């Protein structure tokens, strides 16, 4: 379904940030979040081409999640689903489902509950599915967060955690004495560690 309001917003924003994108050759893309097919929007001058879907505002990591769910044939409408720091495309799709909780600790439009991933205020075995997409790199106590997610999952439930890795083999934890500014220079804005392939 075409969403004209979002298309106008994304194309205006994208054009202001990188007007040259309209003159470069680009391929048509397909969005697994909303089904749109056509040109995507570059987010900034010199940035990743085809970054945002102009129809649903999805980013590559949102589309990656949509592909994972599709390929695993996960029907979220039939699950009790806890979504930490929900992305707009999935939140829009599921927010009216009474079994869906899109939670965060910060104020944002795309949430329907206050949820701290390190202290999830739900009983054991409350959810069939938990997802935290690019969340753990912001959480000082990431092991506690994963343990909490496991606690609220039913036996045999599923969780998806994604983090930026960039090819590192081992996770790097900055020393406690390092300032927040120094940590962010190394790890990225508001990130508290660099994850490696050992996350699994």
């Amino acid at each position: 379904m075409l969403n004209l309001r979002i298309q106008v917003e994304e194309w205006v924003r994208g054009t202001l940030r990188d007007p040259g994108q309209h003159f470069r050759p680009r391929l048509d893309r397909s969005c697994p979040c909303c089904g749109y097919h056509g040109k995507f929007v570059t987010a900034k001058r010199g940035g990743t081409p085809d970054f945002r879907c102009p129809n649903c505002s999805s980013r590559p990591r949102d589309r990656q999640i949509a592909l994972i769910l599709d390929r695993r044939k996960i029907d979220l409408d039939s699950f009790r689903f806890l979504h930490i720091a929900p992305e707009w495309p999935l939140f829009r799709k599921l927010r009216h489902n009474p079994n869906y909780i899109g939670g965060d600790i910060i104020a944002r439009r795309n949430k329907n509950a206050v949820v701290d991933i390190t202290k999830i205020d739900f009983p054991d075995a409350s959810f069939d599915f938990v997802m935290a997409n690019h969340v753990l790199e912001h959480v000082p106590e990431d092991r506690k967060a994963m343990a909490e997610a496991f606690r609220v999952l039913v036996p045999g439930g599923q969780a998806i955690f994604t983090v930026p890795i960039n090819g590192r083999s081992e996770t790097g934890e900055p020393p406690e004495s390092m300032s927040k500014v120094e940590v962010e220079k190394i790890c990225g804005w508001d990130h508290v560690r660099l994850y490696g392939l050992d996350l699994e």
Side-chain angles (χ1 to χ4, degrees), residues 69-140:
L69 298 175
D70 183 56
R71 288 176 182 170
R72 292 187 179 187
K73 296 181 172 37
I74 296 171
D75 177 15
L76 295 178
D77 288 331
S78 63
F79 282 143
R80 291 170 296 162
F81 178 25
L82 175 61
H83 188 186
I84 303 295
E87 296 79 21
W88 263 114
L90 200 48
F91 181 78
R92 263 193 224 104
K93 180 179 177 180
L94 296 172
R95 64 184 165 184
H96 300 299
N97 181 336
N99 294 320
Y100 173 76
I101 301 293
D104 206 333
I105 57 172
I106 62 173
R108 58 192 299 177
R109 291 181 301 158
N110 49 318
K111 75 173 186 182
N112 58 17
V114 176
V115 178
D116 178 349
I117 193 173
T118 62
K119 190 177 179 184
I120 300 173
D121 194 19
F122 287 93
D124 296 358
S126 291
F127 297 98
D128 304 295
F129 196 89
V130 174
M131 184 166 67
N133 186 17
H134 282 248
V135 171
L136 293 178
E137 67 270 20
H138 301 276
V139 179

Side-chain angles (χ1 to χ4, degrees), residues 163-174 186-187 193-200:
V163 297
I165 291 181
N166 298 326
R168 295 175 57 92
S169 59
E170 294 184 359
T171 298
E173 295 274 358
I186 296 167
C187 301
R193 72 185 56 78
L194 287 169
Y195 280 106
L197 297 171
D198 58 345
L199 172 64
E200 185 179 1

Side-chain angles (χ1 to χ4, degrees), residues 2-28:
L2 289 181
N3 190 324
L4 293 178
R5 182 185 61 79
I6 292 175
Q7 289 215 21
V8 169
E9 288 174 4
E10 287 297 335
W11 282 117
V12 168
R13 185 183 303 121
T15 299
L16 291 173
R17 291 176 177 170
D18 180 18
Q21 67 184 292
H22 300 291
F23 306 101
R24 292 190 294 270
R26 293 180 297 156
L27 298 173
D28 284 354

